[in-house]
Amino acid sequence: DRLLWAEGLDVPLMADKFAKGEKPEYLFWVSSAGAFDERYKKVVREFVKILNHLKVDFAVLGTEESDSGDVARRAGNEMLFQMQALTNIEILNGYGVKKIITCDPHDFNTLKNEYPDLGGVYEVQHHTQFLQKFITEGKLKIGGDKFAGKKITYHDPCYLGRGNGIYDAPREVLHAIPSIKVEMKKNRSFSMCCGAGGGQMFKEAEKGSKEVFIDRTEQAMETGADIICTACPFCMTMLTDGIKYKNQEEKMKNYDIAELV
């Protein structure tokens, strides 16, 4: 079912390209969230539309893609992580993949920093870096006033921000969108986790007085923003839940940066 998200879209498959003797410049790593999470499927669909608009030479693995193993490792199942990683690396190296783009900071971090130990060395870009490059080069121009007058606040994903030091790229992409930007009081390296990373998404909350995602949603509400912009499937799930929990669905929306573009 890993390719069902792409229905009706022009999404080239690595196997098809390879059969024709073609070698795409980029592999778009869809991630498990992109393939199966109903909300995040919309994000990868929008990002593919951008790739096609820019005439980027890319392909996806489709049913050959498997989970990166990030959550397994964070939750302590090292054996499962290595099984997943080695399987993926064998497929990626078989296709001679050099450059990878992904929308998921967790997979970005794992592919970039952890796969090299197991023989998978790639140039990995997060979609915010990729978009920033095209905007800086003048190849991607964002016009229109769809968000003019709207206040947008950006939430730094842990594995993009503190994990890999990527703070400017997403902000520069947002800067190119005509709108009002506001920062939460905790931002950049002082940003807060959405509450899902490190395998927390899949376990019960620990003892305490407040859930992390509620705290973070309240910080976003304090800015008076109309839109919380995220760049991670986990953050999207948690902050969307936070907006619902706080009954703010009428006032506030949560979009990925690719959707805004």
Side-chain angles (χ1 to χ4, degrees), residues 73-89:
R73 178 172 251 189
R74 302 294 163 256
N77 194 337
E78 182 64 20
M79 185 177 146
L80 180 58
F81 164 73
Q82 294 201 16
M83 281 165 58
Q84 290 296 119
L86 289 167
T87 306
N88 286 324
I89 288 166

Side-chain angles (χ1 to χ4, degrees), residues 6 33 112:
K112 180 174 182 273

